[in-house]
Amino acid sequence: IGLPRCGTSLGDLNKALNIELNSNANCVWQIHRTSNQTIRLIFSYFKFAPSSSCETENIKVYDGPSTNSSFLGQVCNNTESVPVFESSSDSLTFLIRTNSEDFTRNFFVFYYFFSQESKNCGGLLTAPNGTIISPNYPKPYPEFTYCVWHIQTARKSKINLEFDDFFLELDKNCRFDFVAIYDGLTTNSDLIGKVCGRSQPKFESSSNVMTIVLSADYANSYRGFSAQYTSILPPGPAEPNTSLTCTSERMEIVLSKSYLDSLGYNSTHLQLNDASCRPVISDSVIFSFPLTSCGTVKTGEGESITYTNTIIASATGGIITRQKSIQITVKCKMENNSTLEIMYITENNVIQNKTATGRYNVSMSFYSSDSFSDPVLQSPYFVDLNQTLFAQVSLHSTDPNLLVFIDTCIASPKLDFGSPTYDLIRSGCNKDDTVVTYPPLEHYGRFKFNAFRFLQNSPSVYLRCDILICDSNDRNSRCTQGCISRQKRATSSYMWKTNAVVGPIRLKREHRSADHSESLTEVRAEETPSLQQYSFYILSFVVLTANVVIVVALILKYRTQHQHGYQKLQSP
């Protein structure tokens, strides 16, 4: 992945560019290669200045060798799709222009030359239900795969899309391989979602048409996906427009104004536990507020956290009637890996119970130092073998009374974390002697470790951590107890549990070679002491043998002299 200067000419057959620009940029990239092929250009990630408009800051793409060529289209801050452009020849140009705001813009773009030939994927599907699979499934999809499926079912129906199996290259921003789902018959329709990695996502269109795009770059292909789509006809009369949405940060309650009026309740006379929190009233009555404000009550129930508030509705008019004031109770229940959203009414069940799914917003990232101020944005993350890595888990929530605890972290060369795995942290205990865990800090869990030894034998390594979230007012919660034994852990409590995955981590190639040489040196170093020790034994044996020979010789000489000294004399 290159980090190019402000504009350049490119002639490679394919290339990925990670572009960073600041204010007042006016940069042109020209792609050209003498070939009978055309160019596909994909902007899989882009981040403009927050306050920018399409007039002051944009990317413009031209079908030819210069900005005087035919205009293909533009990308700007309000672009919701994943922009893909195709040239009509072997040349293509794009211009990035930024405004004067001091902000670091980031763009990830890759292109490749390809032949306009028949494809083995994509197409128009008109059956009421069907199956969609990626090329070669369940084997890895080919490099530079680009497939577009258009689904069109009966009028007045909607389309449910469910992935039974989904395994693409993992990246936080899905820059390399991804599936994009559009709410219409073209890729210019509204984007429903963009996914990668490993999951089982589900999507629903707002009408009888949907478009699905699979895009892959040149590396790290996995088995792809298998998906089922079905067309569904909407039910009879629509239910009253009432809903409850819970996120890590907010609670939003929507009540139909006309429905409340028909029941004799005045929408202007609604209030929460805290009467100063007022709704926005149009066709609907909307209360939207931070989780812990407006009189919301937080309670711990087993291994969950529940946020509860109440809307009180008074009857219309000042005349006393038999009609009672009603109370609408709303609950956001944060359970393991999800939230349960509940709305019910205390009188006559006027508003039916409503449930939906969601989750706390938890993320994990690597940082460049123990100040945890500069996140590592590159992916894959290339490291030295003995480099210290700094990891942080972040909880994004407006509730200040929550505590994050890292219970277990394992590493594996496989994204599904099958064998082999390597324990860094287990039950809050450091299992690798290089791991250092930092004390819990509000919404952050932090630790550092050295790049592990088996990284040199694996092309990619992923890290998965089990995260516990507790009420910080509970001094006996699991989050405050650190490393404990299995037996003791059974009696400790936490309020919510999830996991986070980060990676891939890869070893720099030059350090693979250096480490191999170092290993050979270590082997030779281990062999040298053994050789020296063997030589010492031989020398000692020779010296001992020489001493024995000398002693034996002296004894023989002495006996010979002794015999001569007492020789018998002959008689004269």
Side-chain angles (χ1 to χ4, degrees), residues 15-33:
K15 195 171 186 66
L17 306 172
N18 189 19
I19 302 171
E20 287 187 359
L21 296 174
N22 213 300
S23 59
N24 301 316
N26 193 41
C27 309
V28 177
W29 280 264
Q30 297 169 311
I31 306 170
H32 174 74
R33 183 185 181 93

Side-chain angles (χ1 to χ4, degrees), residues 127-130 151-154 157-160 208 229-233:
N129 52 70
I151 305 175
Q152 187 169 15
T153 56
S157 65
K158 294 182 179 182
I159 301 169
N160 273 346
N208 66 320
Y229 79 87
T230 55
S231 61
I232 54 173
L233 290 172

Side-chain angles (χ1 to χ4, degrees), residues 16-193:
L17 306 172
N18 189 19
I19 302 171
E20 287 187 359
L21 296 174
N22 213 300
S23 59
N24 301 316
N26 193 41
C27 309
V28 177
W29 280 264
Q30 297 169 311
I31 306 170
H32 174 74
R33 183 185 181 93
T34 303
S35 168
N36 292 326
Q37 296 178 310
T38 53
I39 304 166
R40 181 174 288 128
L41 178 71
I42 302 175
F43 292 89
S44 57
Y45 178 75
F46 46 90
K47 188 173 185 180
F48 293 93
S51 63
S52 67
S53 66
C54 291
E55 291 73 28
T56 62
E57 190 162 295
N58 53 56
I59 304 171
K60 292 186 176 180
V61 184
Y62 301 88
D63 187 15
S66 72
T67 55
N68 294 323
S69 304
S70 300
F71 180 67
L72 282 178
Q74 77 171 10
V75 184
C76 58
N77 207 14
N78 65 0
T79 301
E80 294 184 355
S81 62
V82 183
V84 179
F85 300 94
E86 293 182 3
S87 68
S88 60
S89 65
D90 57 2
S91 297
L92 192 147
T93 302
F94 65 94
L95 163 68
I96 303 181
R97 185 163 57 99
T98 64
N99 62 20
S100 58
E101 184 178 351
D102 185 16
F103 179 83
T104 300
R105 289 84 167 163
N106 186 266
F107 312 94
F108 189 87
V109 53
F110 66 91
Y111 75 85
Y112 52 89
F113 286 78
F114 70 104
S115 299
Q116 295 282 1
E117 56 189 12
S118 59
K119 298 180 181 179
N120 62 349
C121 64
L124 177 63
L125 306 172
T126 57
N129 52 70
T131 300
I132 303 172
I133 60 173
S134 56
N136 296 344
Y137 179 83
K139 296 180 179 179
Y141 43 86
E143 63 180 10
F144 302 121
T145 292
Y146 188 78
C147 308
V148 182
W149 292 270
H150 304 281
I151 305 175
Q152 187 169 15
T153 56
R155 293 183 59 187
K156 297 185 179 181
S157 65
K158 294 182 179 182
I159 301 169
N160 273 346
L161 178 68
E162 183 171 350
F163 288 86
D164 305 314
D165 188 20
F166 188 95
F167 197 174
L168 272 63
E169 183 177 6
L170 174 68
D171 177 66
K172 180 175 65 174
N173 295 309
C174 295
R175 296 173 299 174
F176 311 118
D177 299 351
F178 60 85
V179 168
I181 297 90
Y182 296 91
D183 195 19
L185 204 53
T186 71
T187 57
N188 293 322
S189 308
D190 292 337
L191 181 69
I192 301 177

Side-chain angles (χ1 to χ4, degrees), residues 497-540:
K497 182 178 181 179
T498 187
N499 62 63
V501 177
V502 69
I505 311 165
R506 293 180 182 169
L507 188 63
K508 295 177 182 176
R509 288 185 178 180
E510 59 269 23
H511 290 284
R512 286 179 184 267
S513 301
D515 186 76
H516 180 66
S517 300
E518 180 183 344
S519 299
L520 291 177
T521 303
E522 289 174 356
V523 170
R524 294 191 183 104
E526 289 172 0
E527 291 174 352
T528 301
S530 298
L531 182 59
Q532 292 173 348
Q533 190 175 25
Y534 178 75
S535 301
F536 174 78
Y537 290 148
I538 294 296
L539 180 61
S540 299

